[in-house]
């Protein structure tokens, strides 16, 4: 029933896109947009508890580090007001912060790999068979 109600509200095209990227149908109110273009939605009336807030990433190759800290606090129910309504959560770039988002490189080809200059304590065993 919830899926059919959401299809009626969002339409077939948006239903297909949500099933491809989210794996579920969601219909709600647009709460705000962050600096990177991610859209944040909320639906308190019809969704299951703790599934009432969600993000629609601008970049379809998304990763959770693309969510800004204020929006992350709102998404994880640490605060009730989104950063658009709460001045403490609005993001101002500090002098020591990078100006643009840098993705997390863990599990990618660009991830940090330590290099050791110490000789190995153990070496692989090389069997030597005597000629018969």
């Amino acid at each position: 029933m919830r899926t059919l109600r959401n299809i009626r509200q969002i339409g077939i095209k948006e239903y297909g896109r949500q099933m491809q990227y989210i794996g579920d149908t969601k219909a709600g109110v647009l709460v705000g947009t962050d600096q990177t273009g991610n859209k944040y939605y909320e639906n308190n009336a019809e969704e299951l508890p703790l599934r009432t807030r969600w993000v629609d990433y601008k970049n379809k190759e998304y990763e959770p580090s693309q969510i800004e800290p204020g929006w992350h606090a709102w998404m994880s129910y640490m605060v009730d007001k989104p950063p658009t309504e709460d001045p403490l959560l609005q993001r101002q770039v500090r002098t020591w912060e990078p100006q643009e988002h840098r993705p997390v490189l863990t599990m990618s080809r660009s991830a940090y790999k330590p290099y050791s200059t110490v000789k190995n304590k153990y070496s692989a065993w090389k069997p030597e068979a005597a000629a018969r």
Side-chain angles (χ1 to χ4, degrees), residues 49-65:
L50 297 178
R51 294 186 64 195
T52 59
R53 299 173 181 173
W54 67 94
V55 60
D56 184 14
Y57 292 96
K58 180 181 179 185
N59 183 6
K60 299 310 173 200
E61 302 265 337
Y62 60 86
E63 60 172 314
S65 72

Side-chain angles (χ1 to χ4, degrees), residues 1-84:
M1 293 301 288
R2 184 177 71 86
T3 302
L4 295 175
R5 184 175 49 241
N6 287 342
I7 290 173
R8 240 181 281 127
Q9 290 178 356
I10 62 176
I12 296 291
K13 183 178 178 181
E14 182 66 16
Y15 165 75
R17 192 189 69 75
Q18 285 186 3
M19 288 304 289
Q20 181 177 3
Y21 292 113
I22 301 174
D24 191 14
T25 58
K26 301 265 189 186
V29 178
L30 177 66
V31 176
T33 306
D34 65 6
Q35 293 176 348
T36 58
N38 299 328
K39 297 177 184 175
Y40 298 88
Y41 295 92
E42 184 173 32
N43 184 353
N44 289 326
E46 300 169 354
E47 291 294 327
L48 298 171
L50 297 178
R51 294 186 64 195
T52 59
R53 299 173 181 173
W54 67 94
V55 60
D56 184 14
Y57 292 96
K58 180 181 179 185
N59 183 6
K60 299 310 173 200
E61 302 265 337
Y62 60 86
E63 60 172 314
S65 72
Q66 293 173 345
I67 297 178
E68 295 177 359
W71 284 107
H72 179 266
W74 180 76
M75 288 282 299
S76 56
Y77 300 94
M78 287 189 256
V79 294
D80 293 331
K81 293 180 181 178
T84 54

